[in-house]
Amino acid sequence: YILMSTKITIRQATAKDAETIARVVAMAIGDKSTLESYCGKDYLSVLTAIAQQHDTQYSWRHSLIAHVDGAVAGAIVGYDGGKLTELRDATFAVIQKIVGRQPIISDETEAGEFYLDSVGVFPEFRGKGVGVALITALCQRAATECHSCVGLIVECGNDQAARLYTSLSFERVGTKLFFGHKMWHLQRQITQNNDND
């Protein structure tokens, strides 16, 4: 009987992590037809191009990368919800340049919350606490940047994800319509100078 210990480390992403970030954003959006309507058929390369920029929604600057025993295991993307319009304009500019059109999407966040945009753990690393570690690290970043609340949306009916967020002190505050899907809007209040948050 061998006890395996898993070492999870979280670090700030760099531009070299763009492909990892693109894979995670695609996992978070989930639906292939939605991805294609958003970024075209070659959506992974478009998302990679977006992640390479410094001023987009999915920029490496807004991303943290998780490693399990040294291997890249997943990522999380989050930013100030009050900056959604400028971040989205930069994101759409990349899509326009590559795909030749701009998507039309309703706002998923707003001023007053640090928005958890996308989180994903690659299949071979699931069940090891990587998602919790990423979400915890993003909440710590939000607190460091003096935000008092972290928000996210999760598809109504995705009970597994909703349970995870509820276990991490997120509470349902309303619903939003996003990509034609009804989503729960959850928020977690965070306090500065608290090592537990």
Side-chain angles (χ1 to χ4, degrees), residues 11 13 55 69 82 112 134 136:
R11 65 168 171 83
D55 57 353
D69 298 329
L134 281 164
T136 302

Side-chain angles (χ1 to χ4, degrees), residues 101-118:
R101 59 178 162 75
Q102 288 199 8
I104 298 164
I105 302 173
S106 56
D107 289 353
E108 68 230 69
T109 182
E110 67 246 1
E113 70 177 13
F114 190 88
Y115 183 59
L116 192 170
D117 185 298
S118 303

Side-chain angles (χ1 to χ4, degrees), residues 68-139:
V68 169
D69 298 329
V72 174
I76 194 166
V77 182
Y79 46 80
D80 180 349
K83 294 181 178 167
L84 177 67
T85 302
E86 62 189 81
L87 294 171
R88 185 172 273 175
D89 287 349
T91 304
F92 285 4
V94 176
I95 297 172
Q96 175 75 47
K97 190 175 170 186
I98 300 172
V99 186
R101 59 178 162 75
Q102 288 199 8
I104 298 164
I105 302 173
S106 56
D107 289 353
E108 68 230 69
T109 182
E110 67 246 1
E113 70 177 13
F114 190 88
Y115 183 59
L116 192 170
D117 185 298
S118 303
V119 60
V121 177
F122 299 135
E124 61 270 34
F125 298 106
R126 289 180 188 157
K128 298 176 185 291
V130 178
V132 170
L134 281 164
I135 294 162
T136 302
L138 192 81
C139 290

